[in-house]
Amino acid sequence: MAFSIIAGVDPKVGLYASFCIAVVTAFAGGRPGLISAATGAMALLMTTLVKEHGLQYLFATTILTGVIQIICGKLKLGRQMKYVPRAVMLGFVNALAILIFMAQLPQLVGVPWQVYIMLAVGLGIIYLLPRFTKAVPSPLVAIVVLTAFSILTGIKVPTVGDMGELPTTFPIFSLPTVPLTFETLSIIFSYALPLAVVGLLESLLTASLLDELTDTPSDKNREAVGQGIANIVTGCFGGMAGCAMIGQSVINIKSGGRSRLSTLCAGVLLLFFILVLGEWVRQIPMASLVAVMIMVSIGTFSWSSLINLHRIPRSETAVMITTVFMTVLTHNLAIGVVVGVGFSTVLFARNIGKIVFVDTVLSDEKTSRIYSVSGQLFFVSVEEFFAAFDFKEELERVKIDLTHAHIWDQAAVAAIDRVVIKFRRKGVKVDLVGLNEASATLLEKLAIHNKPGALENLNNH
């Protein structure tokens, strides 16, 4: 309901979406136990669309978002999750925990003092009950007990009903009523693409987190297709685009939910509570839900990442902190992850670029020298590579042994050209030996040192 308000739509749009997406992904998704619904990150991207073009364009955008996600799944883009470093994953998890906690603070400002008592009691039930029995999830017990107490005593505290009106009917199938024109496509595509990317990013990262929590694998490409199908369905039933909800998913896993049935129940029971038990749901005190979400934030945060800070390389710590900072600053998990991955890539390239070794051996006659190069030659490492050569030395012949090196890009080829041509300008014969097949092919395509006029054309490389 809160996410619907963020997007600027009626609360039923988010509730219908949560029902449809959870039910569809229970069958079509690739991660058992993962729960998807309307989310805050997706809602933030819809605000301008709803304000400028209206609700029907939102439904059309939701359907196109699903189509894009299905295409991504069919193209096997889920495999790219392996390129997300662990430091970014830890930053994602910790930032999410912080955002979940921060989202509860407005519910604790300007409220009756009884709310704080109920919050403390709720947290007490959540953490103490499992010591006696785990037959029933302690968060559910906390919600039931606090709701019963609120109703029996009649105390005035904020409730779910204060968030907005609950729907009273089932969602109805209806295609969006928008003009079928190129202009419409250009409008909705500009919103659908970022929605699809953010939705997949959050869903696949959540799936990876649940993989780790349960020590079981998941099919990321199937999850991408499942998310797409779910968004197409929800767009046809009056819902907004959604994705995996890490908070609900973690609650589900920590409460013992491991199968697709738990995901199906999350969607079906949501609609059941709204339509059949709506009067009771409206009376649930927000304090009980805040207690549950605080439990989720505490359980989600990777405390070991703080305990082990002194053991982790500084570069990984910097990546984790950057991911957390950007995510909390923008309130957008996707931006935080993208910045974290980019920063991690820069640091990795910087570290790899330093691992270039050039050993030299002067012949007994002191007329030739062998330069043995080891490491990865690319745009970051070319300066260290070039600096290793002594062009002032009086030699007749130079051999550059690249047996233990690999040439990756045009910058590396240009650096080799510079070395070879600079020696040849002094009348030194230069031989390149030991090239592997990939490096030799790249040199053959791009290098100019063996081409006519190379001594004059180096500056145009």
Side-chain angles (χ1 to χ4, degrees), residues 366-400:
K366 298 186 178 181
T367 57
S368 65
R369 183 180 288 277
I370 299 175
Y371 287 90
S372 298
V373 184
S374 300
Q376 311 300 316
L377 292 178
F378 63 115
F379 66 95
V380 175
S381 60
V382 292
E383 287 189 16
E384 287 78 4
F385 167 76
F386 189 79
F389 295 89
D390 183 1
F391 299 104
K392 296 180 180 180
E393 190 176 19
E394 295 297 329
L395 298 170
E396 295 179 4
R397 195 178 199 93
V398 165
K399 181 186 290 186
I400 302 176

Side-chain angles (χ1 to χ4, degrees), residues 55-69:
L55 194 58
Q56 293 301 318
Y57 276 82
L58 173 62
F59 298 151
T61 301
T62 299
I63 293 173
L64 183 57
T65 298
V67 172
I68 295 172
Q69 290 178 328

Side-chain angles (χ1 to χ4, degrees), residues 215-245:
D215 196 25
T216 57
S218 63
D219 188 337
K220 305 297 189 301
N221 294 313
R222 180 178 174 181
E223 184 61 41
V225 172
Q227 293 287 332
I229 296 173
N231 278 319
I232 291 175
V233 171
T234 193
C236 294
F237 280 92
M240 57 198 279
C243 62
M245 294 194 73

